[in-house]
């Protein structure tokens, strides 16, 4: 094995800097064409676009700075502290981002990104603060990193980036497929819909919610093999796996219910109100979720696109003092098409899209597992290339 040398991050960068936030009360500072990254977008990912864009005026009247593509970005504050991203575009960031501009004569920027990703726990342990976990530019600059020779860095990074390239390609394909399905749904069931061709959701399909097995009984959550979905796991796509699994005894001794494959889940409470997803196999869920059970007349394809279309409406309908909520009863009172022939035709056209999206999602999961398994071994030199 070639010799790996130890450096501080500051020693392999031409510049380390944070960013800035234009005053949010100034409307003229936003909706421009300058990409502006918020730390909530930093999540072990590659950045090709940002959620918000600022104007030249906003840039000139803030501490925001241009960060070149190929930079490594580390979140410093709060829930995202120590998470890392890699920029594929020139962009600006807020002040909670620590931006590393790598010296390419010493280090490969992609290798550094993957190395920091593999060192997440170690970096997170350096965070400090009572109310929230914080890092700072100084702590990050002093963080130690092991580097093999530059040529080896490039070879290692190319293996991992090729996996990420395939993952990104599959994500883009799924976005295209869903956009095609959504376009058809809007044309047939929104733009060309007639008021007398509508009925209440609750009149034509069964809905249910779930439950949380008692946390006092640890056996309910140990060695379980039944996926248990929480509302924070609803991400507008197929759900293949869950953070926690429960036992069949837990199902029998709680309000959790086994839901059929392709049930559509909609979050009812708190910050996730209106979020939706589709289960790839029989699963259970907690009580913060409403499940729509597809049937012969109302297939999952229609219900999934309906939930997508209704997301903003559910957010607007949410009410409650302590948190924003909707109810299962409220969801059942929303209108759906009662043109069964049109829904059937829609399903015939869209079902292949959805099936392909599912296959792609399964491939994405496999590729992520492969990448994450290789990452620590490549970064430690355990696996030689």
């Amino acid at each position: 094995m070639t010799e790996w040398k130890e450096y501080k991050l500051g020693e392999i960068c031409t510049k380390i800097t944070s960013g800035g936030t234009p005053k949010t009360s100034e409307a003229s500072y936003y909706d421009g064409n300058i990409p502006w990254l918020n730390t909530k977008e930093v999540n072990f990912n590659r950045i090709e676009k940002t959620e918000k864009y600022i104007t030249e005026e906003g840039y000139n009247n803030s501490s925001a700075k241009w960060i070149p593509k190929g930079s490594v970005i580390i979140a410093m504050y709060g829930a995202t502290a120590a998470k890392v991203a890699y920029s594929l575009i020139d962009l600006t960031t807020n002040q909670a981002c620590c931006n590393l501009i790598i010296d390419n004569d010493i280090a490969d920027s992609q290798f550094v990104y993957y190395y920091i990703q593999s060192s997440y726990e170690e970096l997170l342990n350096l965070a400090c603060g009572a109310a929230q976990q914080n890092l700072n530019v100084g702590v990050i600059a002093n963080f130690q990193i092991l580097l093999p020779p530059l040529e080896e860095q490039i070879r290692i990074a190319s293996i991992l980036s090729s996996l990420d390239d395939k993952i990104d390609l599959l994500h883009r394909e799924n976005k295209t497929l869903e956009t095609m399905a959504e376009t058809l749904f809007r044309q047939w069931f929104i733009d060309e819909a007639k008021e007398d061709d509508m009925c209440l959701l609750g009149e034509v399909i069964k809905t249910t919610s779930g439950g949380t097995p008692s946390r006092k009984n640890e056996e309910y959550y140990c060695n379980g093999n039944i996926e248990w979905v929480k509302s924070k796991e609803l991400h507008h796509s197929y759900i293949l796996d869950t953070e926690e699994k429960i036992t069949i005894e837990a199902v029998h001794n709680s309000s959790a219910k086994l839901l059929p494959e392709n049930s559509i889940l909609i979050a009812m409470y708190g910050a996730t109100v209106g979020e939706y997803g589709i289960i790839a196999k029989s699963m259970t869920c907690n009580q913060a979720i409403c499940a729509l059970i597809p049937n012969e007349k109302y297939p999952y394809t229609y219900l999934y696109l309906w939930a997508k279309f209704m997301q903003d409406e559910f957010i607007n309908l949410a009410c409650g003092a302590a948190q924003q909520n909707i109810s299962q009863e409220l969801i059942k009172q929303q209108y759906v098409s009662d043109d069964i022939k049109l829904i059937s035709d829609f399903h015939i056209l869209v079902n292949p899209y959805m099936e392909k999206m599912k296959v792609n999602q399964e491939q994405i999961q496999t590729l992520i597992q492969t990448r994450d398994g290789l990452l620590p071994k490549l970064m430690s030199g355990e696996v030689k290339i």
Side-chain angles (χ1 to χ4, degrees):
M1 176 180 172
T2 54
E3 183 180 355
W4 291 44
K5 295 181 180 179
E6 189 172 81
Y7 295 85
K8 293 179 179 179
L9 279 177
E11 296 173 336
I12 64 169
C13 296
T14 59
K15 186 178 182 181
I16 300 181
T17 182
S18 60
T21 301
K23 187 181 295 184
T24 54
S25 59
E26 287 289 343
S28 63
Y29 289 174
Y30 290 88
D31 295 325
N33 57 8
I34 298 174
W36 182 76
L37 187 73
N38 191 297
T39 45
K40 70 178 182 178
E41 300 172 74
V42 177
N43 190 28
F44 311 114
N45 56 328
R46 304 190 299 183
I47 306 297
E48 295 183 275
K49 62 180 181 178
T50 56
E51 290 183 4
K52 292 185 179 180
Y53 289 76
I54 60 175
T55 62
E56 196 72 36
E57 186 180 1
Y59 175 82
N60 292 331
N61 287 279
S62 71
S63 299
K65 306 171 187 70
W66 274 108
I67 306 301
K69 65 180 178 181
S71 295
V72 178
I73 301 166
I74 301 174
M76 295 190 286
Y77 306 152
T80 58
K83 291 186 177 181
V84 63
Y86 183 77
S87 177
L88 297 175
I89 57 171
D90 297 337
L91 48 67
T92 63
T93 75
N94 72 3
Q95 65 277 10
C97 290
C98 179
N99 306 301
L100 312 180
I101 302 171
I102 306 301
D103 184 342
N104 294 319
D105 291 331
I106 304 174
D108 178 75
S109 58
Q110 287 194 100
F111 179 90
V112 175
Y113 160 66
Y114 288 117
Y115 189 98
I116 295 172
Q117 185 173 335
S118 72
S119 303
Y120 168 68
E121 295 293 342
E122 185 180 353
L123 188 57
L124 183 62
N125 287 337
L126 297 177
C128 60
Q132 59 179 359
Q133 298 290 294
N134 293 336
L135 293 166
N136 59 54
V137 171
V139 168
I140 292 171
N142 285 309
F143 188 74
Q144 294 183 325
I145 180 172
L146 280 171
L147 297 180
L150 185 57
E151 296 80 4
E152 190 172 346
Q153 294 178 44
I154 294 170
R155 289 198 300 271
I156 291 172
S158 68
I159 293 172
L160 296 167
S161 64
S162 66
L163 291 170
D164 276 334
D165 287 342
K166 180 62 174 175
I167 292 167
D168 289 345
L169 180 64
L170 290 168
H171 276 304
R172 286 195 294 271
E173 183 176 356
N174 273 7
K175 185 174 182 180
T176 298
L177 289 167
E178 185 160 333
T179 298
M180 291 166 60
E182 182 182 9
T183 299
L184 193 63
F185 179 89
R186 286 181 175 274
Q187 179 185 344
W188 287 12
F189 300 108
I190 307 301
D191 298 340
E192 299 173 3
K194 300 176 182 177
E195 288 187 14
D196 55 353
D197 286 340
M198 305 293 284
C199 61
L200 297 180
L201 177 77
E203 294 176 347
V204 292
I205 71 159
K206 178 183 177 182
T207 68
T208 186
S209 61
T212 301
S214 174
R215 292 286 185 182
K216 295 178 181 179
N217 191 334
E218 295 182 1
E219 292 183 0
Y220 287 166
Y221 297 88
C222 291
N223 302 315
N225 61 0
I226 300 172
E227 280 80 5
W228 182 64
V229 185
K230 291 170 284 199
S231 53
K232 70 176 184 178
E233 296 176 274
L234 303 181
H235 298 300
H236 312 167
S237 62
Y238 276 96
I239 301 165
L240 305 177
D241 201 3
T242 56
E243 291 180 347
E244 293 184 280
K245 295 179 175 59
I246 59 176
T247 63
I248 191 64
E249 290 77 20
V251 176
H252 292 157
N253 289 282
S254 71
S255 298
K257 306 170 187 69
L258 284 171
L259 305 170
E261 175 186 3
N262 289 334
S263 294
I264 310 303
L265 308 186
I266 300 173
M268 296 188 290
Y269 303 156
T272 59
V273 162
E275 296 288 344
Y276 62 93
I278 177 172
I279 55 176
K281 59 183 177 181
S282 180
M283 298 184 182
T284 61
C285 67
N286 70 9
Q287 66 277 10
I289 291 172
C290 175
L292 314 184
I293 312 300
N295 57 42
E296 186 176 339
K297 293 182 178 179
Y298 286 83
Y300 76 96
T301 48
Y302 174 84
L303 294 176
Y304 178 81
L305 273 300
W306 180 83
K308 180 181 178 73
F309 173 75
M310 289 293 295
Q311 182 179 15
D312 288 341
E313 180 67 14
F314 287 138
I315 292 171
N316 292 334
L317 290 170
C319 60
Q323 59 179 353
Q324 300 293 296
N325 297 334
I326 58 176
S327 66
Q328 187 179 168
E329 191 59 36
L330 184 147
I331 293 173
K332 291 165 64 176
Q333 292 301 310
Q334 305 309 305
Y335 285 97
V336 294
S337 173
D338 70 351
D339 190 333
I340 303 305
K341 175 64 167 59
L342 191 64
I343 292 173
S344 176
D345 292 343
F346 176 79
H347 176 71
I348 291 170
L349 287 173
V350 171
N351 189 50
Y353 301 165
M354 296 291 291
E355 289 293 331
K356 178 59 175 171
M357 286 167 58
K358 181 179 179 180
V359 170
N360 286 351
Q361 195 67 37
E362 290 169 344
Q363 287 184 315
I364 288 168
Q365 184 183 62
T366 299
L367 288 166
I368 289 173
Q369 290 170 347
T370 300
R371 181 200 63 195
D372 291 351
L374 275 175
L375 185 60
K377 295 177 181 179
L378 289 171
M379 292 299 110
S380 65
E382 179 185 340
V383 171
K384 304 174 180 63
I385 60 168

